[in-house]
Amino acid sequence: MKRKIVNMGTIGIVVIILLVGVLNYKQAAEAKMKKIETEENSVRENKTNYTNEQDSNNICELVKKVDFSSKEYSINWEIYTDQVELAYKENFYRIITNQMPLEYGEEKAVYFRDHLRGISDLDDMEFIEQFVKETRYRFIDCDGDGLPELLMDIGINGFCILKYLVEEQKVEVYHWLNEYEVLLGSNQIGYCNSTSANNTRYGYKTLNKAGEVENEIYFTAYYGETGIEYEIYILGDESMSGHLNQEQWDEVTKDFFTMLDCPVTMVTYEEAFGKNFTGTEALHGNTDEAMRAYDEFLSGERTLENSGGSTIANMDDGSMKYLTCDINGDHIPELHIQTSGDYYILAYQNNVLFVLFHEQVEETLKCYGVCKNGEIVYKYTKENKESYSFYKFEFSGNAFKTIAFYRNDSNGNGVYDENDEYECNETICTFEEWTSSAEGYFSIDKNGDVQILHMMEWKDYNESKKR
């Protein structure tokens, strides 16, 4: 039985879905739309009379100059060879399957799945089968460099455009479209939101080569005092808004609505990546490189990609212990560091050393251990209560509880015996059932003390420095 960690606090390992201080692309897009709506409403409320005829004509002339036709940049097949194409697909695949971090947050690595809603109950393999392979895609050149970006339709999460940076050998978010937006061309985005009770808002915007919004136009049809009214809002160096009559509205929107009805065609996973494509199993990096990076960090010669570029000096409080062990099955060991106040897991992938996981530890109350099979064991003790939880980490930093034990010396006699309270996986059980379930995880001596089995041995950092 496995149980997904949803609340860490004092009972387990923290798995953060969206990290504080890390850019949430979708929230940023939604915040901007709310700002636009607020500005539109302000213009509408402060207007004493409808836009005069000359203003309406001027706005119409500006909009009519916009070319509402879909445009796609051509792929340069001389540079996008079969070998380059494979490299692109493999790197995109590593990101969307959470084998590699998308970003490096202050406290831990941020993976692609950390930006998504509705997938928190999926483990990494379920995520691949139920999300990655069921999503629709399109390889399309968005910035005109002759090489494609990856467009993904991710349902309630909107659309995401990912870009592969060849020289850096990394993938980054080029642009995030919200759930009301669609891609109409290489750098053209359409918007339609009819969820409001009294208006429907449409929008059109273009992106520059950096994936930033360059021009925006919003068309709004709403119910006013005299029936349906129409308004245009143009964002640019000088924002403009104005009311239109029915004839003006029809004239300036007809080409846009035709374009909006024909978004970029999306295809299945197999059509985009190729049948049976699963990417390269081995990640960039190996054990020797990772161990060398950890040695450099422990000796103070290397800083971290995240956590503000911290060095070992920022972690060492005089009580530091460390060990190396592969906990996520990528065949590359991670560096585990435990002090009196913190527990860190550092990882090395694609030539980058970063914090994979971090949690504060209350001395004497809780501590972590690493089993030889790669599971993390979390021990929490307080007064006459003890809990032991075993966790398995995945590529994406997801941690799943494999089994958990709890006991309470309820009669207060100082000994855990048959008259006390016991739970296994949050289910009340007898002392005999508890000890039977614990076989292979820990042994219990005649005094009732627990000895966790198959533990990795921590090394004392201060002692190792003396050698």
Side-chain angles (χ1 to χ4, degrees):
M1 177 181 179
K2 68 180 181 181
R3 188 180 301 275
K4 178 69 180 291
I5 301 169
V6 293
N7 181 9
M8 297 315 297
T10 60
I11 62 172
I13 301 174
V14 177
V15 177
I16 303 172
I17 299 302
L18 289 174
L19 300 171
V20 175
V22 176
L23 176 62
N24 185 315
Y25 300 99
K26 182 170 177 56
Q27 287 184 345
E30 290 176 345
K32 184 169 184 179
M33 285 308 306
K34 288 180 180 178
K35 180 181 179 182
I36 291 171
E37 292 177 17
T38 301
E39 291 176 353
E40 283 184 340
N41 291 334
S42 177
V43 170
R44 193 175 298 139
E45 291 171 1
N46 293 331
K47 193 179 295 296
T48 55
N49 296 297
Y50 286 162
T51 310
N52 63 46
E53 184 175 347
Q54 185 58 50
D55 288 341
S56 296
N57 289 334
N58 290 340
I59 292 174
C60 286
E61 289 304 313
L62 282 175
V63 177
K64 283 193 289 186
K65 292 179 181 179
V66 178
D67 181 8
F68 292 117
S69 61
S70 179
K71 293 172 282 294
E72 288 190 21
Y73 297 119
S74 299
I75 301 296
N76 186 337
W77 298 104
E78 292 185 2
I79 58 174
Y80 193 60
T81 62
D82 291 345
Q83 184 176 1
V84 173
E85 180 182 20
L86 180 60
Y88 266 63
K89 289 182 177 180
E90 287 186 344
N91 280 280
F92 283 131
Y93 183 81
R94 289 188 182 108
I95 288 296
I96 65 176
T97 56
N98 307 298
Q99 295 183 55
M100 298 288 289
L102 180 61
E103 301 157 341
Y104 300 96
E106 182 67 20
E107 290 297 318
K108 66 188 285 288
V110 184
Y111 289 81
F112 178 66
R113 68 176 294 155
D114 293 333
H115 288 288
L116 307 180
R117 296 176 293 165
I119 48 82
S120 59
D121 290 333
L122 302 180
D123 63 31
D124 280 3
M125 290 308 299
E126 291 170 338
F127 181 83
I128 291 173
E129 294 299 322
Q130 299 178 33
F131 179 83
V132 173
K133 293 188 177 179
E134 296 301 318
T135 295
R136 298 183 71 82
Y137 302 86
R138 175 68 185 274
F139 282 102
I140 180 172
D141 179 12
C142 291
D143 58 4
D145 64 356
L147 298 167
E149 281 67 52
L150 177 62
L151 173 68
M152 298 178 63
D153 179 355
I154 42 185
I156 61 172
N157 296 283
F159 285 75
C160 183
I161 305 175
L162 299 175
K163 182 175 181 60
Y164 176 51
L165 306 177
V166 179
E167 292 186 6
E168 295 90 337
Q169 290 189 325
K170 63 175 288 189
V171 174
E172 65 177 14
V173 173
Y174 180 76
H175 192 82
W176 196 284
L177 289 71
N178 70 39
E179 59 190 297
Y180 301 111
E181 295 180 327
V182 292
L183 195 69
L184 303 177
S186 288
N187 62 349
Q188 302 163 288
I189 293 174
Y191 173 88
C192 177
N193 183 359
S194 58
T195 58
S196 177
N198 66 344
N199 70 64
T200 300
R201 178 175 285 102
Y202 307 92
Y204 174 79
K205 60 187 179 183
T206 58
L207 306 177
N208 60 23
K209 291 184 180 296
E212 301 163 339
V213 176
E214 197 168 41
N215 299 294
E216 293 177 88
I217 303 174
Y218 291 93
F219 307 91
T220 304
Y222 65 96
Y223 289 96
E225 297 177 357
T226 60
I228 298 180
E229 299 179 10
Y230 304 99
E231 190 172 67
I232 291 183
Y233 191 85
I234 301 176
L235 284 178
D237 294 335
E238 294 185 10
S239 298
M240 299 176 61
S241 68
H243 283 76
L244 305 182
N245 59 38
Q246 177 75 59
E247 182 179 353
Q248 290 171 322
W249 171 269
D250 291 340
E251 182 180 13
V252 299
T253 60
K254 64 180 187 335
D255 290 340
F256 167 68
F257 286 154
T258 299
M259 185 187 191
L260 190 63
D261 288 336
C262 302
V264 166
T265 303
M266 307 296 289
V267 299
T268 66
Y269 171 83
E270 285 194 352
E271 290 174 310
F273 284 88
K275 191 173 183 180
N276 301 321
F277 180 88
T278 57
T280 301
E281 291 296 327
L283 295 171
H284 287 180
N286 56 47
T287 297
D288 290 341
E289 290 177 357
M291 295 302 293
R292 190 157 46 247
Y294 301 150
D295 287 341
E296 291 172 355
F297 179 75
L298 292 171
S299 65
E301 300 171 15
R302 187 167 189 148
T303 61
L304 297 170
E305 178 75 16
N306 53 357
S307 289
S310 295
T311 65
I312 190 64
N314 301 111
M315 296 182 179
D316 183 21
D317 63 355
S319 67
M320 201 179 87
K321 301 177 293 183
Y322 71 98
L323 59 81
T324 56
C325 179
D326 176 22
I327 61 167
N328 61 5
D330 65 357
H331 308 297
I332 303 172
E334 287 75 45
L335 174 62
H336 302 251
I337 294 176
Q338 188 165 193
T339 70
S340 62
D342 297 273
Y343 177 53
Y344 297 90
I345 302 176
L346 308 187
Y348 181 78
Q349 293 178 359
N350 208 29
N351 303 317
V352 175
L353 179 65
F354 60 94
V355 175
L356 177 70
F357 170 81
H358 170 228
E359 188 188 32
Q360 292 185 333
V361 179
E362 300 174 46
E363 190 176 11
T364 74
L365 295 183
K366 57 184 180 179
C367 62
Y368 288 95
V370 185
C371 300
K372 292 179 180 178
N373 66 356
E375 288 192 2
I376 302 294
V377 59
Y378 169 95
K379 177 184 177 182
Y380 179 80
T381 58
K382 189 172 184 180
E383 297 174 350
N384 56 349
K385 301 174 184 177
E386 291 182 355
S387 67
Y388 302 86
S389 301
F390 292 78
Y391 297 93
K392 187 66 178 176
F393 269 77
E394 299 185 295
F395 282 128
S396 65
N398 254 3
F400 283 88
K401 187 185 294 183
T402 57
I403 196 166
F405 302 93
Y406 167 82
R407 63 182 183 175
N408 175 21
D409 180 17
S410 53
N411 57 20
N413 65 356
V415 178
Y416 290 103
D417 52 35
E418 295 181 355
N419 299 317
D420 293 320
E421 297 176 3
Y422 295 89
E423 290 183 12
C424 180
N425 287 332
E426 300 181 10
T427 300
I428 297 174
C429 61
T430 65
F431 173 74
E432 289 76 14
E433 291 171 333
W434 198 80
T435 54
S436 176
S437 298
E439 290 183 9
Y441 291 94
F442 51 77
S443 61
I444 307 171
D445 64 23
K446 60 182 180 180
N447 297 320
D449 294 330
V450 164
Q451 179 68 44
I452 302 172
L453 303 176
H454 314 301
M455 296 292 291
M456 298 283 293
E457 184 178 349
W458 291 95
K459 299 178 182 178
D460 186 280
Y461 178 64
N462 290 317
E463 287 299 318
S464 66
K465 285 196 299 182
K466 295 176 183 178
R467 291 194 292 269

